[in-house]
Amino acid sequence: MYQYDQYDQQLLDERVAQFRNQMRRHLAGELSDDEFRPLRLQNGLYIQRHAPMYRISVPYGLLSSRQLRKLAHLARTYDRGYAHFTTRTNVQFNWPKLEDVPDMLAELASVQMHSNQTSGNDIRNITADPFAGVAADEIVDPRPWTEILRQWSTYNPEFAYLPRKFKIAVNGALEDRVVLRVYDIGLDFGRDAAGNIGFRVLVGGGLGRTPILGEEIAEFVPWQHLVTYCEAILRVYNRHGRRDNIWKARIKILVKALGVAEFRRQVEAEWAHAKDGPDTLTEDEVARVAAHFVDPDYATLAGDDLGYRHELAGNKAFAAWAKRNVRAHKVPGYASVTLSLKKTGTPPGDITAEQMDLVADWADRYSFGEARMTHEQNVVLADVRQSDLHALWQLARAAGLATPNIGLLTDIICCPGGDFCSLANAKSIPIAQAVQARFDDLDYLHDIGEIDINISGCMNACGHHHVGNIGILGVDKNGEEWYQVTIGGQQGNATALGKVIGPSFARADMADVVEKLINTYIEHRHADERFVDTVRRIGIEPFKQRVYGSEHPAAQRKVANA
Amino acid sequence: MPKLIKNGRVVSDDRTLLTLAEGETPAEVAVPAGPVLVPLPVWLARREELAARAAAGELGVWLDAGEDPAALAGDLAQLAVIAVNFPKFTDGRGYSSATLLRTRLGYTGELRAIGVVLRDQFNYLTRCGFDALQPPADRYSDAELEAAVASIHDFSEPYQGAVTPGQPLFRRARRAA
């Protein structure tokens, strides 16, 4: 993974000093709450429901074992012994003290980590394919390009006070594993007919109150222009994006208002000035960054490991785990393992300090010292020998990290919701737990098959509910918590937004509602048909009928803040 | 006398800022004598009348956050001072205005940040080409303003090419592989 040189480290050390100074002036009354707010947000510090919330960046989800141990240390020293992994590959601490945060940042800086621009109206942490470098369908490794963009966006002086937050995702494989079309900019790397690297540009996607899928504005831009092209988009947005209404300030609204063709014309006109200018990437710089992402020192193995095959045949529990949590690897004899943070009874994405230390140990022992976070809020050990899988499974099982549910109903994507977040309209974790408790039979889970349930506690959509096969959104009605349900959303190459099935539900009804949706699917599905494909084929009406029964309303009742 | 930071030093400044009050029009508003910054619409309406004062360095133009710097493209050689207003410090349009004035339009005179300009923006402002930083008159004591100068240098070797420095780090430095 990328290792800082003296320049990276100096910049980060200067950031620590800057933020320490800002915190000191704030505590001394020299910086008002209003003046301090955008500064603390650009350093990932929120003032939350119970305490400050501190959001740490994990650029494109990559973590070294040393960094994991530092996170464990922070959890123990400054928090309550655990952390939350988010859908944007950030790490959140929910109980730090305000005045401790500069010290936490300094500790992070000692292991080349930070909380740069994890909130605020700036360019946020950039996400990339969690299986970068090991996926068989990869065309271009997204990591060097993402790191180049990380450096360009970090402390970028022109784009720190945008109309609204700005999120970029990078993919470089046949399968879209980052949900490109829900990002402000989605960059899809590939090669042209001559084999040259370049990228397709999608702009104007986003979830939130007005979910919109991004549209293509460039089919193939050669790699040299990565920074200048992004800069042109950002400048058009910074100058012309709406600033009068926070709900209309994302770039998607500007793209919609102008139309894609006009937006593209403005970007191209802006880009014409910067193209081939100083920010044009050089082969030397790309090679320098890419050298940090070469393959680890894989052993030459004959192919599938016989001991592994033997354990699979003889151990049903191990085989169930391998089926869901182990992925094929491009190198013979290796596999990628997903450690599940979705054990029933634990808030999705939460991980204890002890677990982080253990994952660090396993990374060192089995996976070249690295781990990856996924936007589904799990952890991947990407480079494990097949011959080590059984041992790793036993260790993970003892630590509560081997729930064999990756991609299944209980692998729920969920924001912290009203238990922690001051923006939330409703709690989300109890819904996840009620659904997980209802579907606790493993054989039944495997029979239901692949399904994404996404839960957000408000329309900011941190749980990406619009793209869940079943999406659950917490809404506030007259001070009470209600839940609106969508079905048919999907991520991946066929990314789609779900449709609302009808009026919202009380919390106590939610497990029943999900069960009725699943039963409807079971009754209608064809062999080997996934939930979302059944919804696609038969439409939402049969699901509505089942859920609402005779009370099925003629017209959907609109929820005010949905 | 009010103070501002010019090229990294605290200096006195007595330039008045003309704003249009309710009912005043660009064509008719009285332009004060002495050093002054006039709003863009006043300049555009009365360019010929004001040209001599601009050429003498006495009169400059201020752009509001949403105003297009290209409106001044033909006038840059005669303007010794252009200011860009930050109505809120979270309104970042002025950073792009300054970048365009310096890089696209080639403006080389004084470029002044006015409005809600605070020390925590100084580094980004100067990197986008501002050489004069004018916080609200009552925001900082003299001592605080002197101390605030240090914020200009919060980051010594930034990653990006901007106005200053113009080249990105990978072109300025030989970085370790």
Side-chain angles (χ1 to χ4, degrees):
Chain A
M1 65 193 278
Y2 187 74
Q3 300 295 318
Y4 282 12
D5 68 5
Q6 84 232 43
Y7 295 101
D8 299 292
Q9 191 64 52
Q10 176 175 294
L11 272 164
L12 181 50
D13 291 344
E14 287 171 339
R15 177 63 147 203
V16 177
Q18 182 191 50
F19 188 54
R20 203 182 277 291
N21 179 281
Q22 289 164 345
M23 178 67 82
R24 183 192 62 70
R25 283 186 282 126
H26 174 62
L27 295 175
E30 296 170 30
L31 261 177
S32 69
D33 286 348
D34 280 349
E35 292 173 352
F36 186 51
R37 184 181 304 112
L39 306 176
R40 65 171 164 76
L41 290 177
Q42 290 190 13
N43 287 285
L45 177 56
Y46 285 75
I47 304 297
Q48 283 289 28
R49 188 152 292 203
H50 305 288
M53 185 273 277
Y54 185 40
R55 181 184 290 156
I56 289 157
S57 172
V58 181
Y60 38 97
L62 274 188
L63 281 167
S64 69
S65 55
R66 188 167 71 122
Q67 292 173 329
L68 270 164
R69 291 193 182 95
K70 179 60 79 177
L71 292 173
H73 167 74
L74 291 181
R76 275 192 202 95
T77 311
Y78 299 98
D79 206 278
R80 297 187 179 175
Y82 70 98
H84 176 72
F85 284 11
T86 79
T87 53
R88 297 254 318 121
T89 71
N90 294 311
V91 174
Q92 293 182 178
F93 287 114
N94 281 304
W95 308 97
K97 288 201 191 74
L98 187 74
E99 60 273 23
D100 282 346
V101 173
D103 289 338
M104 295 173 79
L105 177 58
E107 294 226 32
L108 290 167
S110 72
V111 295
Q112 307 185 357
M113 291 187 82
H114 53 75
S115 52
N116 289 330
Q117 297 167 202
T118 51
S119 181
N121 296 331
D122 45 25
I123 304 171
R124 302 287 188 88
N125 184 17
I126 300 170
T127 48
D129 183 356
F131 295 99
V134 299
D137 68 339
E138 185 166 282
I139 304 161
V140 175
D141 186 340
R143 294 170 299 178
W145 308 104
T146 314
E147 173 59 27
I148 285 167
L149 286 176
R150 182 194 74 80
Q151 298 194 16
W152 164 72
S153 62
T154 298
Y155 321 137
N156 187 305
E158 189 178 343
F159 305 127
Y161 297 94
L162 297 167
R164 199 78 176 86
K165 58 188 170 183
F166 202 91
K167 300 177 182 179
I168 302 175
V170 184
N171 205 58
L174 294 176
E175 175 72 15
D176 169 13
R177 280 180 287 268
V178 297
V179 211
L180 284 168
R181 292 192 70 195
V182 306
Y183 277 81
D184 296 288
I185 296 179
L187 299 171
D188 193 13
F189 273 80
R191 291 179 185 272
D192 66 10
N196 301 306
I197 290 176
F199 52 93
R200 188 164 78 101
V201 185
L202 304 164
V203 165
L207 299 175
R209 167 181 297 227
T210 313
I212 296 176
L213 296 180
E215 304 257 15
E216 179 182 298
I217 62 161
E219 193 184 351
F220 188 86
V221 181
W223 61 267
Q224 291 89 339
H225 309 299
L226 176 63
V227 167
T228 56
Y229 201 91
C230 288
E231 204 161 66
I233 296 170
L234 264 295
R235 187 168 294 146
V236 169
Y237 172 55
N238 190 39
R239 296 186 66 205
H240 303 299
R242 283 182 64 173
R243 291 173 184 268
D244 59 327
N245 180 341
I246 188 176
W247 303 114
K248 305 220 179 280
R250 294 288 291 269
I251 194 173
K252 61 191 174 188
I253 304 293
L254 178 65
V255 174
K256 267 276 183 276
L258 293 175
V260 175
E262 171 59 16
F263 182 80
R264 178 190 297 120
R265 190 197 64 73
Q266 293 193 14
V267 169
E268 294 280 332
E270 185 61 43
W271 184 46
H273 294 281
K275 187 169 182 265
D276 300 321
D279 287 322
T280 305
L281 295 176
T282 61
E283 285 189 14
D284 280 356
E285 172 63 359
V286 174
R288 179 187 78 82
V289 176
H292 292 281
F293 300 99
V294 294
D295 278 350
D297 199 7
Y298 293 121
T300 308
L301 303 170
D304 280 351
D305 182 72
L306 291 178
Y308 172 51
R309 294 237 151 267
H310 180 74
E311 290 289 353
L312 280 181
N315 186 331
K316 189 162 171 263
F318 177 59
W321 176 76
K323 184 178 175 196
R324 295 312 320 175
N325 299 37
V326 174
R327 274 177 66 101
H329 196 285
K330 66 176 183 181
V331 176
Y334 281 84
S336 297
V337 169
T338 303
L339 300 168
S340 173
L341 300 187
K342 309 298 176 63
K343 185 175 155 62
T344 297
T346 309
D350 276 11
I351 183 168
T352 66
E354 291 69 31
Q355 287 174 324
M356 286 189 273
D357 276 338
L358 287 169
V359 174
D361 290 347
W362 306 336
D364 280 340
R365 202 177 328 164
Y366 299 120
S367 196
F368 300 97
E370 288 181 22
R372 301 155 182 227
M373 297 169 62
T374 72
H375 81 88
E376 291 95 349
Q377 303 175 283
N378 294 308
V379 181
V380 168
L381 296 175
D383 299 292
V384 181
R385 285 192 195 199
Q386 288 180 357
S387 55
D388 289 332
L389 286 171
H390 188 261
L392 175 58
W393 170 67
Q394 288 180 306
L395 292 168
R397 201 155 72 138
L401 293 169
T403 310
N405 64 347
I406 300 305
L408 299 181
L409 188 144
T410 52
D411 184 10
I412 293 172
I413 296 177
C414 183
C415 73
D419 288 299
F420 298 100
C421 179
S422 58
L423 302 173
N425 290 319
K427 293 185 180 181
S428 48
I429 294 169
I431 303 296
Q433 294 185 326
V435 172
Q436 287 174 329
R438 179 69 59 96
F439 293 89
D440 64 346
D441 182 280
L442 194 59
D443 290 333
Y444 186 45
L445 276 181
H446 281 264
D447 179 45
I448 295 166
E450 289 188 10
I451 181 168
D452 295 329
I453 298 187
N454 296 55
I455 308 175
S456 303
C458 75
M459 65 285 184
N460 286 309
C462 294
H464 297 175
H465 61 276
H466 302 102
V467 292
N469 302 156
I470 296 176
I472 299 172
L473 166 66
V475 294
D476 174 272
K477 285 199 288 193
N478 304 320
E480 284 182 50
E481 297 179 351
W482 290 78
Y483 297 88
Q484 186 187 67
V485 174
T486 53
I487 61 173
Q490 194 170 356
Q491 55 187 46
N493 289 6
T495 295
L497 302 171
K499 292 195 174 76
V500 178
I501 62 167
S504 49
F505 304 95
R507 188 195 299 170
D509 295 334
M510 284 310 298
D512 286 343
V513 169
V514 172
E515 190 165 24
K516 284 174 182 167
L517 292 171
I518 295 300
N519 289 342
T520 313
Y521 156 67
I522 299 283
E523 284 163 24
H524 287 86
R525 70 177 170 184
H526 291 166
D528 294 328
E529 191 176 49
R530 296 175 307 169
F531 176 89
V532 69
D533 297 321
T534 303
V535 176
R536 202 70 76 235
R537 180 170 55 78
I538 67 175
I540 68 172
E541 201 54 38
F543 294 89
K544 272 166 115 162
Q545 295 286 355
R546 171 63 68 90
V547 170
Y548 294 101
S550 56
E551 298 157 41
H552 175 47
Q556 291 176 19
R557 183 150 37 108
K558 273 278 195 191
V559 174
N561 54 358
Chain B
M1 192 180 290
K3 300 216 162 121
L4 59 75
I5 294 170
K6 179 82 190 285
N7 292 320
R9 293 183 50 215
V10 177
V11 296
S12 296
D13 180 85
D14 59 353
R15 198 173 280 281
T16 49
L17 182 75
L18 177 66
T19 55
L20 291 178
E22 184 90 19
E24 289 180 330
T25 63
E28 287 165 9
V29 67
V31 176
V36 64
L37 288 165
V38 301
L40 177 67
V42 172
W43 172 256
L44 294 180
R46 294 154 70 176
R47 216 186 247 125
E48 281 180 29
E49 173 199 337
L50 302 173
R53 290 182 64 187
E58 186 184 74
L59 180 138
V61 177
W62 69 271
L63 297 172
D64 211 344
E67 290 176 329
D68 187 353
L72 291 173
D75 306 328
L76 296 174
Q78 29 173 341
L79 290 171
V81 188
I82 296 174
V84 176
N85 184 44
F86 289 80
K88 297 190 285 188
F89 60 85
T90 52
D91 186 332
R93 288 176 288 183
Y95 296 92
S96 287
S97 301
T99 302
L100 290 173
L101 279 165
R102 291 296 196 204
T103 58
R104 182 92 25 103
L105 302 169
Y107 176 66
T108 56
E110 177 183 314
L111 187 54
R112 182 184 297 198
I114 61 171
V116 187
V117 174
L118 302 177
R119 66 175 285 181
D120 299 290
Q121 278 80 359
F122 284 1
N123 178 266
Y124 289 180
L125 289 168
T126 51
R127 284 161 61 192
C128 288
F130 288 103
D131 55 2
L133 309 166
Q134 187 165 27
D138 52 354
R139 178 63 184 80
Y140 294 119
S141 68
D142 285 1
E144 283 173 340
L145 197 60
E146 289 288 352
V149 172
S151 292
I152 292 172
H153 307 290
D154 274 356
F155 298 108
S156 45
E157 287 286 0
Y159 286 125
Q160 310 78 9
V163 175
T164 313
Q167 303 277 319
L169 182 58
F170 65 82
R171 289 182 191 271
R172 298 196 307 271
R174 176 169 280 281
R175 302 190 65 183

